[in-house]
Amino acid sequence: MNIGFIGLGIMGTPMAANLVRAGHTVVGYDVSTTRLDELAELGAKAAASIGEAVSQAHVVITMLPDSPQVEEVVFGEGGVLEYAPAGLLLIDMSTIRPETSRRVAQAAAVKGVHAIDAPVSGGEKGAVDGTLSIMIGGRTEDVESAREILRVLGTTIVHVGPAGAGQTVKAANQLVVGGVYALVAEAIVLLEASGVDPKAGLDVLAGGLAGSRILELKRHSMIERSFQPGFRIDLHHKDMGIATAAAREAGVALPMTALVAQLIAAARAQGHGALDHSALLKVIERINS
Amino acid sequence: MNIGFIGLGIMGTPMAANLVRAGHTVVGYDVSTTRLDELAELGAKAAASIGEAVSQAHVVITMLPDSPQVEEVVFGEGGVLEYAPAGLLLIDMSTIRPETSRRVAQAAAVKGVHAIDAPVSGGEKGAVDGTLSIMIGGRTEDVESAREILRVLGTTIVHVGPAGAGQTVKAANQLVVGGVYALVAEAIVLLEASGVDPKAGLDVLAGGLAGSRILELKRHSMIERSFQPGFRIDLHHKDMGIATAAAREAGVALPMTALVAQLIAAARAQGHGALDHSALLKVIERINS
Amino acid sequence: MNIGFIGLGIMGTPMAANLVRAGHTVVGYDVSTTRLDELAELGAKAAASIGEAVSQAHVVITMLPDSPQVEEVVFGEGGVLEYAPAGLLLIDMSTIRPETSRRVAQAAAVKGVHAIDAPVSGGEKGAVDGTLSIMIGGRTEDVESAREILRVLGTTIVHVGPAGAGQTVKAANQLVVGGVYALVAEAIVLLEASGVDPKAGLDVLAGGLAGSRILELKRHSMIERSFQPGFRIDLHHKDMGIATAAAREAGVALPMTALVAQLIAAARAQGHGALDHSALLKVIERINS
Amino acid sequence: MNIGFIGLGIMGTPMAANLVRAGHTVVGYDVSTTRLDELAELGAKAAASIGEAVSQAHVVITMLPDSPQVEEVVFGEGGVLEYAPAGLLLIDMSTIRPETSRRVAQAAAVKGVHAIDAPVSGGEKGAVDGTLSIMIGGRTEDVESAREILRVLGTTIVHVGPAGAGQTVKAANQLVVGGVYALVAEAIVLLEASGVDPKAGLDVLAGGLAGSRILELKRHSMIERSFQPGFRIDLHHKDMGIATAAAREAGVALPMTALVAQLIAAARAQGHGALDHSALLKVIERINS
Ligand SMILES: NC(=O)C1=CN([C@@H]2O[C@H](COP(=O)(O)OP(=O)(O)OC[C@H]3O[C@@H](n4cnc5c(N)ncnc54)[C@H](OP(=O)(O)O)[C@@H]3O)[C@@H](O)[C@H]2O)C=CC1
Ligand SMILES: NC(=O)C1=CN([C@@H]2O[C@H](COP(=O)(O)OP(=O)(O)OC[C@H]3O[C@@H](n4cnc5c(N)ncnc54)[C@H](OP(=O)(O)O)[C@@H]3O)[C@@H](O)[C@H]2O)C=CC1
Ligand SMILES: NC(=O)C1=CN([C@@H]2O[C@H](COP(=O)(O)OP(=O)(O)OC[C@H]3O[C@@H](n4cnc5c(N)ncnc54)[C@H](OP(=O)(O)O)[C@@H]3O)[C@@H](O)[C@H]2O)C=CC1
């Protein structure tokens, strides 16, 4: 299939490579020309403009930093909707605001373009290995027609609702992940301040109702204060901005989410943006020292 | 072995029964005489006073509501320390403040009594089945000498540190459990308010980094608003009081814990004290309706 | 002076009327034509387009709902910057995001337009009476040249810093106001739940270090549960969105502000958007009943 | 009148001195004998025991650090209730938990002693100058019979409700005071991080609806980071513990109060216990650096 791929960053590049490897014809575009140069090695073609990446495509995938870039690439002058052939399937896999995804889907429909939102979790490793989890919002027929391609990129592929729903589920995921890190951080600080061995303590927690994937994977590295990413605080900060905005758009107050967002913002303000999100522990420690 | 058992409530009664079944001689005491009447059926003896339960015992187990009751039973006139034979092993399995456990251990040592704190998780079912998780604080030799008996009551038995450490780990456990419920509740409210099917959404969360034992066991009942206990809000409210007090005693500020404590207090103020702690969902809903 | 006035709502209409009364020539514009009809009665002229309101003006004042409207009116096709005569003074008095104000000032400068941000407090009554407080961000010479006109509209006129600074101060104002309401609400709930007469209690608070303008003006109406606006929850919710966004842009974590924003969002979710912001009391009550 | 005065610390000593100066016969007692030595200079008598201070008294005033000390002095062996002559008026002016005050009043009544709770605000300066604010809980006739003496110690003397009500009002006062400091701290951090002069900004806030006694008295010292006490963080931390406990006893959830308590606990954990409570600004800064 002819696939236009826009946004060839940390995630987009290995995803595009996997699509090439699966036999698809991939035409890539990125504002950064250095990234385009890498494309040839992948066996993909470099487009000089969005139009070039889009006009012959059956499917366009976007993997961009945030809502404003998606708006620009999709709605902007010389953007996707200007060049989209009728019947194009547009899969936005960026993590952005649900409300933006809904507006993309509506504007696309007007032009006869089928748009779905399909944000991912699993990180760079998942992108490289083709084992991402993909949460999809959109119309059922569009989601079905995307499955073949998405199966190249990920292993868990779930249709969770109408346009924007993929983003909302991703936002919900990130608020829970951030929150669990903050709770584990507070548990560690309490144990250590009380003279209790945190390793023994967290082992007990991990084995019971307090157990979680985070405790399983990260309790040892957290206790050792090893915060190599993994998933960076900067990205989680962006995602908490989306979660907060999504709550606001949905008209709901979420006090835990709001507090988690502040703690992650604090991690960033303290200069830990490039560390793993488990570095929330540094924030709880700093509050107390 | 001769075991004095003080506090024969929802947890204490099946625990005492398991000890009888394991061949121990159990002499029980409770302020409520109706509970004492049930003792005979279990094959245990009813004591008319703490002194009677304690004076011939090798081991005394206490399973009482809260710190003040433990203080009264241990330190009070006619209490455990007054009648304890030298060398007695005192195992307090109540969930109380770490600081009280430390004072019990100190006062006990003065009288030649070996005291450890051994709070449990696993609920009434764990008590009946003998599958409790037991977190122990105390001196190593005392913990070792308690293991044979504790193995009758639970399956996970972990020595986590000096006197009070068992309580601190229990407090850490409860703050994480309460916090995860609150986060999942916010995720559900966000998904539903955004028109996303919460079942599909939480399935995705359960499978990734946001995954937890609570999501695994409780997401379906939460989505169906089925809040049969389980572990009651009233008890979790008590435990958050302990977690908050433990943080204060340890001299640490824990903002997430403080917020979780308020949300659980709100559940109680709203009349949901007898529901399962997953009813935190009702609090997040009420904030928004 | 020739003044273009764009945005003739609750605030803009009486402000424009005061300018007419002070002898200025006012040409008004609003998307809503019914509002334009009222203009004649004020002695102002109605413009059919932004261009008409702007092209002959020495000064243009905008008083619009929020950041997107200001962006549209200033940057949009047929907007202020398209028609602005060289040397125009553009005074945006809307409450918007500081970051938008900074972008307006920059884009204006490119076109030779002098733009300042001058948000207000004091409400409809302040607008009618010409007693608004005006917080101004911008270059000193631009602020000085605006003073004569601003003196018609307000009594406290303070230059607080460069472009955007007016909005930041307004945001700071709103976070403190919202927070004090929430604190007073918690005080009332605590007093009443403890069986203490809240009137006697708040009288004491009002007289000491806890004293505030809000306690002075609103404690009686709050105790009586009289929540006629005043300043509506809906507007305060908008303003907390700005405060939160301003903190994010400034790279700071503000936990109290985040919690206040959630409580105000809750008031709105509970259907109290049209009540006075003192109705935060209803949120604290609902958490507890 | 014969007055027994127990607890001659920072507050108690100047209060006792004022009573001597007003012509009363004061017999003082304190666990610390160095404090007793100072008594003679004041013209008061030093008692060697509580009994000596109480047995000839018409009125006993206690000014002790916290609830446990009041319990010990009132209920303990050799305590006030053991030696109290029938009809004694017991005025506890310490800041303690409302629930303790209620228990004191009940136990006193059984012995024919009239007890009221009368915590104060105004600090050491208010104690020295006799200008304290006094919030009183108790029966009307007891409060009336205390007024003559209280007028020597304070200028604002308000009967706010039954036993414990004075403490509840003091707790409400402290949660509002702590909260306003935290809000002003966040406003300062937002202004400074946004490049706005905080002095100009806070001047505007102080003049409008955001205005408060704290902004009036403390905004300049806060901006200059001058944190000489005043009222120490350590004492405010104690008071937030009381406010939190009072909310728990009253069965209410107070999210703002809980967050303020954590911020003050953080100030203490960061080593600022001896600074003025306006040093909450240091906590908000540290979260962000
Ligand atoms: N990294 C991770 O672990 C995960 C990331 N995500 C999400 O995936 C998305 C992509 O993330 P990631 O790959 O890390 O981000 P990157 O910033 O590495 O990649 C984005 C790419 O898009 C380019 N770009 C920006 N604007 C345009 C434009 N207007 N037209 C074309 N190209 C543009 C960027 O170029 P330039 O660099 O020059 O701006 C960059 O090469 C984000 O939404 C992120 O939140 C989701 C899960 C995990
Ligand atoms: N009301 C108050 O008490 C206070 C308000 N403020 C701030 O002042 C600003 C104005 O508030 P207020 O007067 O209450 O708001 P209103 O909504 O009453 O007035 C705004 C006016 O702008 C018009 N408008 C919207 N979009 C455009 C456009 N693109 N071009 C021209 N006109 C447009 C609106 O028309 P339509 O209604 O048809 O959309 C409306 O008539 C807000 O930023 C508010 O936050 C500040 C302090 C107090
Ligand atoms: N300081 C202030 O600005 C304000 C204080 N308050 C409240 O007033 C109360 C007193 O405060 P403050 O004077 O600062 O505290 P201090 O600690 O200075 O004074 C308390 C005194 O009581 C003595 N004491 C302690 N236990 C006993 C006992 N069992 N029998 C007799 N005496 C005892 C202490 O002795 P030792 O030091 O040896 O323990 C100390 O001399 C507190 O509840 C405080 O919260 C209220 C408003 C303002």
Side-chain angles (χ1 to χ4, degrees):
Chain A
M1 224 180 285
N2 288 347
I3 303 177
F5 202 112
I6 302 172
L8 295 153
I10 293 173
M11 298 293 287
T13 295
M15 290 164 72
N18 281 334
L19 290 167
V20 169
R21 235 168 271 136
H24 296 288
T25 304
V26 176
V27 184
Y29 175 75
D30 194 293
V31 276
S32 150
T33 50
T34 61
R35 297 196 177 280
L36 284 177
D37 296 343
E38 299 170 24
L39 264 188
E41 301 172 35
L42 304 178
K45 280 177 242 171
S49 68
I50 294 176
E52 214 178 302
V54 169
S55 49
Q56 308 295 324
H58 303 110
V59 174
V60 167
I61 295 178
T62 45
M63 193 58 176
L64 295 158
D66 207 346
S67 306
Q69 290 81 16
V70 171
E71 292 185 19
E72 195 194 314
V73 164
V74 174
F75 301 131
E77 257 191 67
V80 174
L81 291 187
E82 198 173 313
Y83 287 96
L88 177 75
L89 176 63
L90 171 60
I91 310 177
D92 177 37
M93 303 188 75
S94 324
T95 300
I96 62 170
R97 291 163 57 154
E99 202 255 331
T100 306
S101 293
R102 282 190 290 270
R103 283 193 293 118
V104 165
Q106 276 160 16
V110 170
K111 301 254 174 171
V113 171
H114 309 284
I116 63 177
D117 50 296
V120 307
S121 67
E124 186 178 359
K125 187 167 170 13
V128 170
D129 298 348
T131 57
L132 294 167
S133 287
I134 310 178
M135 299 142 251
I136 318 174
R139 294 191 317 157
T140 303
E141 54 268 39
D142 299 337
V143 174
E144 289 316 308
S145 66
R147 278 200 191 269
E148 190 199 326
I149 282 175
L150 295 177
R151 248 180 248 122
V152 175
L153 304 173
T155 39
T156 306
I157 299 163
V158 192
H159 181 197
V160 291
Q167 300 297 352
T168 306
V169 172
K170 171 81 183 180
N173 190 77
Q174 294 304 79
L175 79 86
V176 171
V177 167
V180 173
Y181 273 119
L183 292 165
V184 171
E186 295 200 354
I188 292 172
V189 166
L190 175 61
L191 292 170
E192 293 184 351
S194 307
V196 181
D197 174 20
K199 204 188 150 321
L202 291 197
D203 283 354
V204 175
L205 267 59
L209 189 56
S212 63
R213 196 117 176 84
I214 284 171
L215 267 178
E216 191 186 323
L217 298 175
K218 297 292 192 87
R219 71 181 188 276
H220 296 127
S221 60
M222 287 177 80
I223 290 171
E224 287 157 18
R225 272 64 177 174
S226 157
F227 302 119
Q228 306 308 325
F231 189 78
R232 283 184 297 118
I233 287 283
D234 278 341
L235 277 171
H236 212 132
H237 179 65
K238 182 203 123 180
D239 290 355
M240 292 311 295
I242 292 170
T244 309
R248 209 175 159 81
E249 281 153 18
V252 289
L254 304 180
M256 295 283 290
T257 302
L259 180 53
V260 173
Q262 295 311 303
L263 294 174
I264 294 180
R268 212 159 165 264
Q270 291 170 18
H272 308 316
L275 297 186
D276 186 66
H277 43 180
S278 54
L280 271 183
L281 175 53
K282 289 176 89 76
V283 174
I284 304 298
E285 282 187 303
R286 193 160 181 81
I287 287 174
N288 286 295
S289 60
Chain B
M1 226 180 283
N2 287 348
I3 302 176
F5 203 112
I6 301 172
L8 294 155
I10 293 173
M11 298 295 284
T13 296
M15 289 163 75
N18 281 334
L19 290 167
V20 169
R21 235 168 270 137
H24 296 288
T25 304
V26 177
V27 184
Y29 175 76
D30 195 295
V31 277
S32 148
T33 50
T34 61
R35 294 194 179 283
L36 285 178
D37 295 344
E38 298 170 25
L39 265 188
E41 299 171 36
L42 305 177
K45 281 179 240 169
S49 68
I50 294 176
E52 213 179 306
V54 168
S55 49
Q56 308 295 325
H58 304 109
V59 174
V60 167
I61 296 177
T62 47
M63 193 61 179
L64 295 158
D66 206 346
S67 304
Q69 290 81 15
V70 171
E71 292 185 18
E72 197 194 313
V73 164
V74 174
F75 300 131
E77 255 191 68
V80 173
L81 292 186
E82 198 173 315
Y83 288 96
L88 177 75
L89 176 63
L90 172 59
I91 309 175
D92 178 35
M93 304 189 74
S94 326
T95 299
I96 63 170
R97 292 164 56 156
E99 201 256 330
T100 306
S101 293
R102 281 191 290 270
R103 284 194 292 119
V104 165
Q106 276 161 16
V110 170
K111 301 253 177 173
V113 171
H114 309 283
I116 63 177
D117 51 296
V120 305
S121 68
E124 186 179 359
K125 191 170 168 7
V128 169
D129 298 348
T131 58
L132 294 166
S133 288
I134 309 178
M135 297 143 249
I136 317 176
R139 296 192 313 158
T140 302
E141 55 268 37
D142 298 338
V143 174
E144 288 316 308
S145 67
R147 276 199 193 271
E148 190 198 326
I149 281 175
L150 294 177
R151 247 179 248 123
V152 175
L153 304 174
T155 38
T156 306
I157 298 163
V158 192
H159 182 198
V160 291
Q167 301 297 352
T168 306
V169 172
K170 171 80 185 184
N173 190 76
Q174 294 304 79
L175 78 86
V176 171
V177 167
V180 173
Y181 274 119
L183 292 166
V184 171
E186 294 200 355
I188 292 173
V189 165
L190 175 60
L191 292 170
E192 292 184 352
S194 307
V196 181
D197 174 19
K199 205 189 150 321
L202 292 197
D203 282 356
V204 175
L205 267 60
L209 190 56
S212 63
R213 196 113 176 88
I214 283 172
L215 267 177
E216 190 187 325
L217 298 175
K218 296 294 193 84
R219 70 182 189 276
H220 295 127
S221 60
M222 286 177 80
I223 291 171
E224 288 158 16
R225 272 64 176 173
S226 158
F227 301 119
Q228 305 308 326
F231 189 78
R232 282 184 298 119
I233 287 283
D234 278 341
L235 278 170
H236 212 132
H237 178 66
K238 182 202 121 180
D239 290 357
M240 292 310 295
I242 292 169
T244 309
R248 209 175 160 82
E249 281 153 18
V252 290
L254 304 179
M256 296 282 289
T257 301
L259 180 53
V260 173
Q262 295 310 305
L263 295 173
I264 294 180
R268 210 157 166 266
Q270 291 170 19
H272 308 316
L275 297 185
D276 186 66
H277 43 180
S278 54
L280 271 184
L281 176 53
K282 290 176 88 78
V283 173
I284 304 299
E285 283 188 303
R286 192 160 183 85
I287 286 174
N288 287 294
S289 60
Chain C
M1 227 180 282
N2 286 348
I3 302 176
F5 203 111
I6 302 173
L8 295 153
I10 292 172
M11 298 293 287
T13 296
M15 288 162 74
N18 282 334
L19 290 166
V20 169
R21 235 168 271 137
H24 296 287
T25 303
V26 177
V27 183
Y29 175 75
D30 193 293
V31 277
S32 150
T33 49
T34 60
R35 296 195 177 282
L36 285 176
D37 296 344
E38 299 171 24
L39 264 188
E41 300 172 33
L42 303 180
K45 281 179 239 169
S49 68
I50 294 176
E52 214 178 302
V54 168
S55 49
Q56 309 294 324
H58 304 109
V59 175
V60 166
I61 295 176
T62 47
M63 193 59 177
L64 294 157
D66 207 346
S67 304
Q69 290 81 17
V70 171
E71 292 186 19
E72 196 194 313
V73 163
V74 174
F75 300 130
E77 258 191 65
V80 173
L81 291 186
E82 199 173 313
Y83 287 97
L88 178 74
L89 176 64
L90 172 59
I91 310 176
D92 177 36
M93 304 188 75
S94 324
T95 299
I96 64 170
R97 292 164 56 155
E99 202 254 330
T100 306
S101 292
R102 281 191 290 270
R103 284 195 291 119
V104 165
Q106 275 160 15
V110 170
K111 301 250 175 175
V113 170
H114 309 283
I116 63 177
D117 51 295
V120 306
S121 67
E124 187 178 359
K125 187 166 170 14
V128 170
D129 298 349
T131 58
L132 294 166
S133 287
I134 309 178
M135 298 143 251
I136 318 175
R139 296 193 314 160
T140 303
E141 55 268 39
D142 299 337
V143 175
E144 288 317 309
S145 68
R147 277 197 194 271
E148 189 199 327
I149 281 174
L150 294 178
R151 246 179 248 124
V152 175
L153 304 173
T155 38
T156 306
I157 298 164
V158 191
H159 181 198
V160 290
Q167 300 297 350
T168 305
V169 172
K170 171 81 184 182
N173 190 75
Q174 294 304 79
L175 79 85
V176 171
V177 167
V180 173
Y181 274 119
L183 292 166
V184 171
E186 294 201 354
I188 292 174
V189 165
L190 175 60
L191 292 170
E192 293 184 351
S194 308
V196 181
D197 174 21
K199 204 187 151 319
L202 291 196
D203 283 354
V204 175
L205 267 60
L209 190 56
S212 63
R213 196 117 177 85
I214 284 171
L215 267 178
E216 190 186 323
L217 297 175
K218 296 293 192 84
R219 68 182 190 277
H220 295 127
S221 60
M222 287 177 79
I223 291 171
E224 287 158 16
R225 272 64 176 172
S226 157
F227 302 118
Q228 307 308 326
F231 189 78
R232 282 184 299 117
I233 287 283
D234 278 341
L235 277 171
H236 211 133
H237 178 67
K238 182 202 122 180
D239 290 356
M240 291 312 295
I242 292 169
T244 309
R248 210 176 158 82
E249 281 152 19
V252 288
L254 304 180
M256 295 283 290
T257 301
L259 180 54
V260 173
Q262 296 309 304
L263 295 174
I264 294 180
R268 212 157 164 264
Q270 291 170 18
H272 308 316
L275 297 186
D276 186 66
H277 43 180
S278 54
L280 271 183
L281 176 53
K282 290 176 88 77
V283 174
I284 303 299
E285 283 188 304
R286 192 160 182 84
I287 287 174
N288 288 295
S289 60
Chain D
M1 227 181 281
N2 287 349
I3 302 178
F5 204 111
I6 302 173
L8 294 155
I10 293 173
M11 297 294 284
T13 296
M15 290 163 74
N18 281 334
L19 290 167
V20 169
R21 236 168 270 137
H24 297 287
T25 303
V26 176
V27 184
Y29 175 75
D30 194 294
V31 275
S32 149
T33 49
T34 61
R35 295 194 179 282
L36 284 177
D37 296 344
E38 298 171 25
L39 265 187
E41 300 171 35
L42 304 178
K45 281 177 242 171
S49 67
I50 295 177
E52 214 179 304
V54 169
S55 48
Q56 309 295 325
H58 303 110
V59 174
V60 167
I61 295 177
T62 47
M63 193 59 177
L64 295 157
D66 207 346
S67 304
Q69 290 81 15
V70 171
E71 292 185 18
E72 196 193 314
V73 164
V74 174
F75 300 132
E77 258 190 66
V80 173
L81 292 186
E82 199 174 310
Y83 287 96
L88 177 76
L89 176 63
L90 172 60
I91 309 177
D92 178 37
M93 304 189 75
S94 324
T95 300
I96 62 169
R97 292 165 55 157
E99 201 253 331
T100 306
S101 293
R102 282 191 289 271
R103 283 194 294 118
V104 165
Q106 276 160 16
V110 169
K111 302 252 176 175
V113 171
H114 309 282
I116 64 177
D117 50 295
V120 306
S121 66
E124 186 179 357
K125 188 167 171 9
V128 171
D129 299 348
T131 58
L132 295 166
S133 287
I134 310 177
M135 299 143 249
I136 317 174
R139 294 190 317 158
T140 302
E141 55 269 37
D142 298 337
V143 175
E144 288 316 309
S145 67
R147 277 198 194 272
E148 190 199 325
I149 282 175
L150 294 178
R151 246 178 250 124
V152 175
L153 304 173
T155 38
T156 307
I157 298 162
V158 192
H159 181 199
V160 291
Q167 300 297 351
T168 305
V169 171
K170 171 81 184 183
N173 190 76
Q174 294 305 79
L175 78 86
V176 171
V177 167
V180 172
Y181 274 119
L183 291 165
V184 171
E186 294 201 354
I188 291 172
V189 166
L190 175 61
L191 292 170
E192 292 184 351
S194 307
V196 181
D197 173 20
K199 204 189 150 322
L202 292 196
D203 282 355
V204 175
L205 267 59
L209 190 56
S212 63
R213 196 115 176 87
I214 283 172
L215 267 177
E216 191 187 322
L217 298 175
K218 297 291 192 89
R219 70 182 190 277
H220 295 127
S221 60
M222 286 178 79
I223 290 171
E224 288 158 17
R225 272 65 176 173
S226 156
F227 302 119
Q228 306 309 326
F231 189 78
R232 284 184 296 120
I233 287 283
D234 278 341
L235 277 170
H236 212 133
H237 178 66
K238 183 203 120 179
D239 290 355
M240 292 310 294
I242 292 170
T244 309
R248 210 175 159 83
E249 280 153 18
V252 290
L254 303 180
M256 296 282 290
T257 301
L259 180 54
V260 173
Q262 295 309 304
L263 295 173
I264 294 180
R268 215 159 161 262
Q270 291 171 18
H272 309 317
L275 297 185
D276 187 65
H277 44 181
S278 54
L280 272 183
L281 175 54
K282 290 177 88 77
V283 174
I284 304 299
E285 283 188 303
R286 192 159 182 84
I287 286 175
N288 287 296
S289 61

